[in-house]
Amino acid sequence: MARLPLSLAIGDYDRIRPLVDGSVQIDGVDPVFSILDPEEIFFRAFRYADFDICELSLSSFTVKTAAGTSPYVGIPVFPSRAFRHTSVYIRTDRGITRPEDLRGRRIGVPEYQLTANVWVRAILEEDYGVRPADITWVRGGYEDPAREEKIALSLPADVRLESLPPGATISSALADGTLDAVIGPRAPSCFERGHPQVGRLWADPIAAASEWYGRTKMFPIMHLLGIRRDLAERHPYLVGALAKAFEQSKAVAMAKLSNTAATKVTLPFVEEQLARARALMGEDFWSYGLAPNRHVLEAFLRAHHAQGLSSRLLRPEDLFHPASLESFRL
């Protein structure tokens, strides 16, 4: 019986490689993989619905879902998660020594609605009392001045969002002092080159994120898996098949990571880092499914709506196809 050929776009992660190399199969599907950077996937998915199945920005997907305009429906598989205390870069010559010092500053963002930025703004407001309205936000591309906000936004009246002048980038503006800080999922190139007046807001972001996790028990979700809504309606079995296959693929990757007789990652001290992660977060620290992630999604959706990015407050269930929220048990 012929398998259904479907396009599947996703980043290059160890947790999806068993699907790419064929050691884990998606029931009834012959996937055609495109391994791409997230920015390309999101642009093509939200502008043109290019892919049958793909990784999606949680924030952009929430904007579209709240508005009722998303061509995709979600599956609670989370290819990308990250603690975002690593994502704030500052001028070290401006007297910024703590998060509260960001009040009144000009902060660059590649896009206001990026998931990483939603999480950072939530942390700044909830833990340090720094509201989005306390900052002047300046939008621009990291390295390409032509980058645009890919989704139209209707922000609260007290939020000041400007654009960099033509030809400028947020990396160049941070380097020349036009900006006081940058928040985003990637490090600006001036930081990577070791600019003497550019550093991190949290000097030890691992310690800051670990303390935050100890209080909140939240490992921020960045991306989820989406399937084109029309495809899920035509082939209802696909939703459960995808959830099962991605869970199996992650299990294979975790087993390989745990086999430290010959380290699978090109990095020293992998076993020590793995032990630290499990001591802090438990065995299944990269969990899929709604139940173990409900509190994370609820916190994100509250922040997203409060920041004026979603037109209505969504429940976690509103993001996902109903068939992806339960599976058989023996």
Side-chain angles (χ1 to χ4, degrees), residues 38-47 56-61 63-64 110-115 139 147-153:
E39 290 90 344
E40 179 176 353
I41 298 173
F42 303 159
F43 179 84
R44 293 171 63 182
F46 289 116
R47 287 290 180 91
L56 295 172
S57 156
L58 178 58
S59 177
S60 299
F61 177 71
V63 172
K64 291 281 196 179
E111 292 181 48
Y112 188 81
Q113 62 85 35
L114 291 184
T115 308
R139 198 206 58 74
R147 180 171 180 170
E148 299 177 353
E149 192 92 42
K150 63 178 162 289
I151 291 181
L153 302 175

Side-chain angles (χ1 to χ4, degrees), residues 143-208:
E143 316 297 336
D144 186 342
R147 180 171 180 170
E148 299 177 353
E149 192 92 42
K150 63 178 162 289
I151 291 181
L153 302 175
S154 180
L155 298 176
D158 60 355
V159 173
R160 297 183 299 278
L161 178 61
E162 304 174 359
S163 293
L164 284 172
T169 66
I170 57 175
S171 181
S172 67
L174 186 63
D176 67 22
T178 304
L179 295 174
D180 299 303
V182 165
I183 298 174
R186 293 178 183 267
S189 61
C190 61
F191 173 82
E192 293 181 326
R193 291 194 300 267
H195 190 290
Q197 276 82 50
V198 174
R200 292 187 189 273
L201 174 61
W202 283 281
D204 188 345
I206 295 177

Side-chain angles (χ1 to χ4, degrees), residues 18-61:
L19 289 163
V20 178
D21 68 24
S23 55
V24 171
Q25 298 285 313
I26 305 171
D27 294 340
V29 174
D30 182 14
V32 180
F33 282 95
S34 295
I35 305 301
L36 304 170
D37 285 339
E39 290 90 344
E40 179 176 353
I41 298 173
F42 303 159
F43 179 84
R44 293 171 63 182
F46 289 116
R47 287 290 180 91
Y48 306 109
D50 266 2
F51 311 106
D52 296 321
I53 302 154
C54 63
E55 180 177 1
L56 295 172
S57 156
L58 178 58
S59 177
S60 299
F61 177 71

